[in-house]
Every structure is written in C-alpha cells, then in structure tokens.
Amino acid sequence: MTGKPVRAQVWTRPIVVVGLLMALLSLMYLGYVVNPEKNLHDFPIALVNQDVGDTLGGQPTNVGDQIATALAQNIPADKVDLTVTGIPEMQKLLLDGKIYGAIIIPNDFTKRLGILGTASVVSGKVERPVITIQTNPRIGSYATSITLRITEQALAKVNETVGRQLTDTVDAQLRPTPDTAAPPVSGAAQLTLAEPVDVVITPFRPLPDGTGGGLSAFFYTLLVLLAGFTGAMIIHTMVDAALGFTPTEYGPWYVHYPSTPISRLRTLLLKWGIVAIVAPLVSAVFLAVATLLDMPIDRAPMLFLYSTLAIIAVGVTALSVLAAFGSAGLLVNLILFIVLGLPSAGGSVPIEATPKAMGWLSTFEPMHQVFLGIRAILYFDARGSSGLAHGTWMTLLGLLIGLCFGAAITAFYDRKGLHRSADRTRVTEE
C-alpha cells in the first residue's frame, strides 16, 4: 500500500509546540525556586518593642529602642517589610497569616541587661535578657526557615553591639580608683557580657501532625485544580465522542458516531451540567480520603463547599476555553492552570521569595486564589480575613468570567453558522 508523502508541517509543528512549552515550563519552574534569597522582596515580619527602659551606669536608658532602631537599619528594606506594632496587632496579623514571623523585645529587657552587668561581679543566680522570635508555621515551612534566617542574622549583629556596649559600661563602673582595686570579672562572665542576649524561638500556633509541615493545603489545592482542569478535558472528549464530533478509539477498537444536530451553546451547557454534577462527588471523595489518612480537618463542611465551588469554576472556565479554541484550548488550559499556576501559587515557596513576575501572576492565577481559600480553611479557622473571603470572591469571579466567555463565544459561533459537522470541518489537502 502506497501513500502520499508526509508534509513537513506534520512533524515540524509538534516539535515547535513541545519545544516552546518546555522552554516556558523550565523558565517558570526553575526561575521561581533556584534563588529565593536573591528574589526576596516585601517579606512581612513584625517588630514589637515593649521595653520600658531602666537606669544603666547612672543614665536613663532604653536598650529596646536602640535595638529596634538597629534592626530597622540591619534588615534590608528592599527585601523585608518590617512592621513595627504592638502585641495585639501582631497576634492578629499572625492569626490571619499576614506576617511570617515577629521579633519581640520584652518590657523588662533593659532592666535585665543591667542586672546581668551587675551579676558579672556580684554572685547570684541571674538570667540573660530574652528576645523572642515568633514564627508562623501555618504559612509554610519554607517561609519559616527564611524568617529564622533573616531574624537570626540581624539579631546576631544586635547581640554583638549590645554586648560591646554592656562590656564597656561594666568596665567603666569597675575602673579602679587610687583607694580601691577593681573587682575581678571572671572569664565566664566576660563571655556572657560579650553575648548577653538570649534569642528564643517559639512557634505561634504550631501545626498538628498530619499536615505535612504546612504542605497539605498546597497539595489539596493541587488536587482541586487538577479535578477541575483534567475533569473538563475528560468531559469534553467523552461528550464530543458520544455526540459524534470526534472518533472514539480504545486500542484496536475504533468508532465514529454520526454527528448529533446540536448547537455549540447547548453542547457547552451539557458539559457544564456534567461538571456541576461531578464537582460535589469529587469534593466528597477528596474529603473522605483526607479523613481516612488522618489529615486534621476542623471545618470539613466548609472545605467540601469551597472545593466544590473551585472545581466547578475551574471546570467551567476550562470547558469554555476548549469551546472557544478547540484542540488548541488544551494547551491554553495547561498553561493557564498548571504552567503559570504552580510557580505563582505560593504553596511551597512564598510569593515574596519568588521573582516579582510571580507576584503579578498571583493576583489573578486561579491556583493562588484557591490556595488562599483552602489554606484559610485548613490552618486559619476559616476566617475571611485570613484569605477565605478573597479566595471565595476571586473563585466566584473566575466562574462568572468562564460562564460569560463560554456562552458569548458559542452563541457567536452559532449565529455565524459555524456548526460542528463532518462536512463543515473537512479540510482540503494542499
């Protein structure tokens, strides 16, 4: 059996499309993860200074104010958004996931520093003054590690500066006079004076077991997006095959049903209806599997409802794209929901540690909006201010856009007489 020679575009087009897609994939995925420290920007950390001051060396002193000023100078403003606030506001910001950590200077810091200086020559039990680094593990383990790296580096410099000042103060007070000799300062006391501040790290509302170190929300989000995205592709392919618009092929079995006389709009409405039926079933399956695996879920009904909404929104939009662009819609959906979505989701690497282009994408990319909603439900008691309100409204907006776009484009095709049929879609070979 002889056949016509294969045209060059049959093999060149797939090569070009795959090459470009892989280039975009590598740029997006490697670009957001290879150098988070270099990409750091607007990383939110709070500073709380409660120190009331005391008298050191005969002078009224507030070392907490000095440290707060030093931290503001040592922490790079182009990388970290340092917010000076009080305890109540700091706790609210941590509860809502608006900050990734906090530095807390207690109210007796200067007083304890003075006691430490006196204890260097007077026997007795004494404790070093404490500065607390409070992390927010519900934001994610990577954000916590960045928080600790930034704060510990800054406080190491502060500790060195404060130690030098305290040593100088003690030396001045112990300077010998013609009538008296200077009291001896032991080597251990000198080491303590050189690094007088005890930096304590405490997590704010630690995550329970079964959360994957703060990654369960991200992977649950990924499941929801895949359910909407891949579900739409499956529904699109199977419905078109059943209506006779595309052939059905399973191994050697091949069948192509006669085309059904149905408009593009009605076909899309049928697919949307199937998505609406499938979404709550899939959402219930996800919830059941998570429960079976002992994943802690305190707001199960809320998670079920929001996941259902997100699956419907993604599925409806993906089907509208397929209705508008045909086979090319598969590539458009892949780029929209997966290629651009994963790097800008903020689920593994925080948005503030990725290139600024990722931050721009996160303002509208579906995966980031869904992640904010699911993270709020799983980790932040389903509070609207912690991302649930934003995630819900953005998901509803995405659903509305998908409905309007799909209905408008298919109605336009129908009015123009661009019906789907074998005769209509036959292409003359060049």
Side-chain angles (χ1 to χ4, degrees):
M1 178 179 179
T2 60
K4 296 181 180 180
V6 177
R7 292 172 296 173
Q9 62 187 16
V10 173
W11 58 271
T12 57
R13 285 179 180 176
I15 292 174
V16 171
V17 171
V18 172
L20 291 176
L21 178 61
M22 293 304 109
L24 180 61
L25 268 173
S26 60
L27 177 64
M28 296 300 297
Y29 284 39
L30 296 179
Y32 97 102
V33 77
V34 293
N35 204 338
E37 296 290 340
K38 181 180 178 181
N39 296 324
L40 203 63
H41 61 90
D42 302 320
F43 196 85
I45 296 177
L47 172 61
V48 179
N49 177 24
Q50 297 179 295
D51 192 13
V52 297
D54 201 16
T55 301
L56 292 182
Q59 297 293 329
T61 307
N62 191 312
V63 181
D65 290 343
Q66 298 174 11
I67 292 176
T69 301
L71 286 172
Q73 294 173 350
N74 292 333
I75 294 178
D78 60 329
K79 295 182 179 294
V80 178
D81 181 13
L82 188 65
T83 301
V84 180
T85 184
I87 286 291
E89 180 63 19
M90 178 210 72
Q91 291 176 340
K92 185 178 185 304
L93 292 172
L94 287 170
L95 281 170
D96 291 340
K98 297 294 191 300
I99 57 174
Y100 296 166
I103 301 171
I104 304 172
I105 304 171
N107 57 8
D108 61 349
F109 184 83
T110 302
K111 181 178 180 180
R112 285 186 175 275
L113 200 63
I115 294 173
L116 183 66
T118 302
S120 62
V121 292
V122 178
S123 61
K125 186 177 179 181
V126 68
E127 294 180 354
R128 292 194 297 171
V130 172
I131 291 181
T132 301
I133 300 174
Q134 198 153 42
T135 61
N136 197 354
R138 292 171 185 257
I139 291 293
S141 57
Y142 202 94
T144 298
S145 67
I146 294 177
T147 300
L148 291 176
R149 197 150 51 242
I150 292 170
T151 53
E152 286 177 341
Q153 288 175 356
L155 288 175
K157 295 180 180 179
V158 167
N159 206 353
E160 180 182 349
T161 302
V162 172
R164 188 165 52 249
Q165 293 175 349
L166 183 61
T167 300
D168 292 342
T169 300
V170 171
D171 288 344
Q173 291 176 338
L174 299 180
R175 189 171 293 123
T177 64
D179 299 328
T180 60
V185 179
S186 67
Q190 290 178 7
L191 289 176
T192 302
L193 291 176
E195 293 186 357
V197 180
D198 185 14
V199 178
V200 176
I201 300 170
T202 61
F204 181 81
R205 298 183 69 215
L207 282 167
D209 293 335
T211 59
L215 287 175
S216 60
F218 172 62
F219 281 98
Y220 205 97
T221 300
L222 189 57
L223 284 174
V224 168
L225 262 291
L226 287 174
F229 166 63
T230 58
M233 291 194 299
I234 294 170
I235 291 169
H236 173 78
T237 302
M238 295 187 71
V239 170
D240 278 359
L243 295 177
F245 297 133
T246 58
T248 300
E249 185 176 8
Y250 297 106
W253 184 69
Y254 177 92
V255 63
H256 195 166
Y257 298 109
S259 298
T260 302
I262 184 173
S263 68
R264 291 176 180 265
L265 178 58
R266 288 180 59 197
T267 302
L268 183 59
L269 291 174
L270 173 61
K271 295 174 181 177
W272 283 350
I274 297 173
V275 167
I277 295 172
V278 167
L281 299 177
V282 173
S283 181
V285 168
F286 288 164
L287 193 59
V289 171
T291 303
L292 183 65
L293 295 175
D294 293 328
M295 177 176 153
I297 303 174
D298 295 331
R299 304 289 194 283
M302 183 69 73
L303 183 62
F304 168 77
L305 292 174
Y306 181 73
S307 298
T308 301
L309 172 64
I311 293 171
I312 292 174
V314 173
V316 163
T317 304
L319 286 170
S320 296
V321 170
L322 289 168
F325 300 106
S327 298
L330 296 171
L331 188 60
V332 175
N333 282 331
L334 178 64
I335 293 173
L336 174 63
F337 293 110
I338 304 300
V339 176
L340 300 181
L342 275 171
S344 60
S348 53
V349 178
I351 296 296
E352 294 81 4
T354 61
K356 291 187 177 181
M358 305 296 179
W360 175 73
L361 286 173
S362 70
T363 59
F364 62 86
E365 266 295 321
M367 190 174 292
H368 180 66
Q369 322 311 321
V370 175
F371 170 69
L372 291 178
I374 289 179
R375 187 184 68 179
I377 295 170
L378 290 177
Y379 301 160
F380 294 98
D381 303 322
R383 284 190 302 277
S385 56
S386 63
L388 181 57
H390 176 85
T392 301
W393 285 115
M394 288 297 290
T395 304
L396 288 171
L397 177 61
L399 175 59
L400 180 62
I401 291 173
L403 290 170
C404 293
F405 174 69
I409 197 70
T410 52
F412 172 76
Y413 289 165
D414 287 336
R415 284 199 304 271
K416 290 294 184 179
L418 302 175
H419 304 299
R420 304 176 75 188
S421 64
D423 294 337
R424 184 73 179 81
T425 57
R426 183 176 293 122
V427 179
T428 304
E429 294 187 359
E430 297 178 354

